[in-house]
Amino acid sequence: MSSGVPEHSRVRRILRGPRPEAVPALIARACTLVGVLDIAAGVFPRFRHSRMHRMAEVLPGSLGPFAAAMSLSVGILLLLLAHGLRRRKRRAWRSATALLPVGAVAEYVYRHSVIGVLIALALLLPLVLHRGQFDALPDPRSRWRALANFVLMGAGSLGLGLIIVSVHRHRMVGNPSLSARIEHVLYGMFGVEGPVDYTGNTSWTVAFSLGALGLLTAVTTVYLAFRPEHPAARLTEEDEVRLRALLEKHGSRDSLGHFALRRDKAVVFSPSGKAAVTYRVVSGVMLASGDPIGDVEAWPGAIERFMDEARAHSWTPAVMGCSETGGEVWTRETGLDALELGDEAVVDVADFSLSGRAMRNVRQMVKRIERAGYETRVRRVRDLGEGELERIRRAAEDWRGTDTERGFSMALGRIGDPTDGDCLIATAHRVDGVAPGASGRAGTGEGRAEAEAGPYGDLKAVLHFVPWGTDGVSLDLMRRDRSADPGMNELLIVAALRAAPKFGIERVSLNFAMFRSALARGEKIGAGPVLRAWRGLLVFLSRWFQIESLYKFNAKFQPRWEPRFVVYASSRDLPRIGLAAMQAEGFVNLPLPRFLRRPAPAPRPSSHGAAEHGMSATSRA
């Protein structure tokens, strides 16, 4: 698995790569400081008294009100650019070098502060000298940023505007109430005169400043919403063909390998083309999933390309759900760290049996459901007719338990595509004409009519498996009719395991159980207080996330547990990586306004007109 490069040189190379350099970080902090000074200069009448300032206030055509608004605008923009400078973004550097001279002029015209000018120029100098370090490419366009900018900028502008209205108290006419001042701020942000009045030229200064806040909020939101498109994560047809060729040779290594074929991922290949890493960028995190695809000997080359891409865009690199072997290669080649995330349940078909005390609950549940009039069918996708496939697609879509699809690292995102003919589908059917919950009317015309009235005929549950090499399958999604009898998932898993030898399948990967070892050890006798407290927290979080329930469901089938890991650069990145992973998996998702939504990609020509439905295993994700 060695690439022929000494390990210490690899570590040094990666340390120089994705981690931000000290100079951009220092410049970003200085940019924040200058932005705060510019805002202070625009908000407060003046920090010091001077003869020049008093003369400027009475000169005809004084630029005081305009300069105050300009200083305020430049300060806010510099604060917004500081994050981009920290990430070495080229556009942030260009904007900052253009704004700093403007801020310096505003500082001098409004406050006549030579020190303020010198501070702005002192920041401009290192920006110019170190311009080569600000070479990061733009991120894929995100409409979320437009919405977040509107909310945050709107709230910040309201608070800052209230301060601007209130600091001129000695020139305020009367004593307006807080509601009147808020109203004045809101009107002023739209360029309309509010109920608060001032003596002298202060009304103009306040009006220009409030107008600048409103204009900044509008302009930055519109820019983020409609800025030019940049490459987003999309798997091209050529990429998919190359990945399928790698999976055909090396797909048996990782049960998550086939999920690399999700079409909302991007891919980087090793120089030899014998290995690849698929990823998606979420909130500045370059999120890979599972192990690299292809020959293990070529993994280091693909990993190096991944890290180079992360550095080029200043993205935070991370890997979700890699195996122990994958984690060892990632950490060795990059100098990153790994943390155990949970365990994958794998059932060996040859060892599976419903006999024995340990399987009593599953055995009883399966027999009860079979007596209730259900039958199962296990088939390859290519063996199903288009009409039945379409009915299964619609059923899986309508039976989804959440408003949005879930899944990224352990879900394919589609079902029934012609290119996925090797996928396995297990379905449960109500065959005796008895509607669920109406077993007392078995065989009656009323029960049969009720069963046939459903939009999916006798279909009651669906399990979809993707190939794991030539001798295994990996669970993708689990969907069932909510009105069907409990135990549909257990019934179909048992049916798939029983039918596996017919398809040459020797191993079946079930759900992923997050923090499984902590739950298992924490419930044992002798567990320490820390472990028990950690288990208690996980049980509490299980009210919203399927943590404990997935562990207990998987354990019913007596699987062997395969650990999965998250790979990360620094512990301080873990919260950000966790949030990005939850966004990618669909656990954190807020609907965008229609005008901010990105158009859905056109269907692949290879799908022969079949509509693609995003299908993910809520339970697996």
Side-chain angles (χ1 to χ4, degrees), residues 406-426:
R406 290 182 177 177
F408 163 67
S409 57
M410 301 179 185
L412 185 59
R414 61 182 181 269
I415 186 173
D417 191 273
T419 59
D420 300 321
D422 287 339
C423 291
L424 206 66
I425 288 185

Side-chain angles (χ1 to χ4, degrees), residues 11-34:
V11 173
R12 286 202 307 269
R13 181 189 65 224
I14 300 303
L15 289 177
R16 288 197 305 267
R19 297 185 180 180
E21 292 86 350
V23 172
L26 290 175
I27 291 177
R29 295 190 188 100
C31 185
T32 302
L33 175 61
V34 174

Side-chain angles (χ1 to χ4, degrees), residues 342-414:
D343 295 270
E344 175 187 16
V346 178
V347 178
D348 294 312
V349 174
D351 299 333
F352 177 76
S353 173
L354 284 179
S355 60
R357 183 178 180 83
M359 299 296 295
R360 182 180 59 181
N361 291 337
V362 176
R363 181 173 63 250
Q364 292 175 347
M365 179 173 290
V366 169
K367 289 182 177 180
R368 177 180 59 80
I369 297 174
E370 289 175 341
R371 287 195 300 267
Y374 289 91
E375 74 171 20
T376 59
R377 303 168 193 169
V378 182
R379 292 159 289 174
R380 296 283 188 185
V381 166
R382 59 173 172 264
D383 297 328
L384 275 71
E386 183 56 36
E388 186 174 6
L389 263 179
E390 180 60 26
R391 186 166 65 251
I392 291 173
R393 289 192 195 103
R394 289 188 290 106
E397 176 88 8
D398 293 344
W399 294 340
R400 186 175 61 209
T402 57
D403 293 334
T404 58
E405 281 292 349
R406 290 182 177 177
F408 163 67
S409 57
M410 301 179 185
L412 185 59
R414 61 182 181 269

Side-chain angles (χ1 to χ4, degrees), residues 128-246:
V128 174
L129 291 177
H130 297 280
R131 59 184 177 274
Q133 296 195 27
F134 297 90
D135 57 354
L137 301 175
D139 291 343
R141 184 177 65 179
S142 173
R143 304 305 178 101
W144 280 105
R145 294 185 179 179
L147 182 62
N149 179 84
F150 177 76
V151 174
L152 296 177
M153 281 286 290
S157 297
L158 180 62
L160 198 56
L162 193 58
I163 296 175
I164 293 173
V165 170
S166 302
V167 294
H168 299 275
R169 181 180 295 275
H170 62 290
R171 294 192 177 184
M172 192 179 292
V173 177
N175 186 26
S177 63
L178 178 61
S179 61
R181 297 179 191 181
I182 294 176
E183 183 180 356
H184 189 84
V185 173
L186 294 175
Y187 281 146
M189 290 173 64
F190 286 95
V192 180
E193 185 176 355
V196 180
D197 197 11
Y198 302 88
T199 60
N201 293 328
T202 304
S203 293
W204 289 101
T205 302
V206 173
F208 280 123
S209 298
L210 295 179
L213 289 175
L215 185 62
L216 273 178
T217 301
V219 169
T220 54
T221 300
V222 170
Y223 168 74
L224 291 173
F226 298 103
R227 61 180 171 170
E229 181 73 70
H230 294 290
R234 287 292 182 269
L235 199 66
T236 66
E237 290 186 59
E238 180 183 356
D239 291 337
E240 186 172 336
V241 170
R242 296 177 66 184
L243 282 174
R244 287 185 183 276
L246 293 177

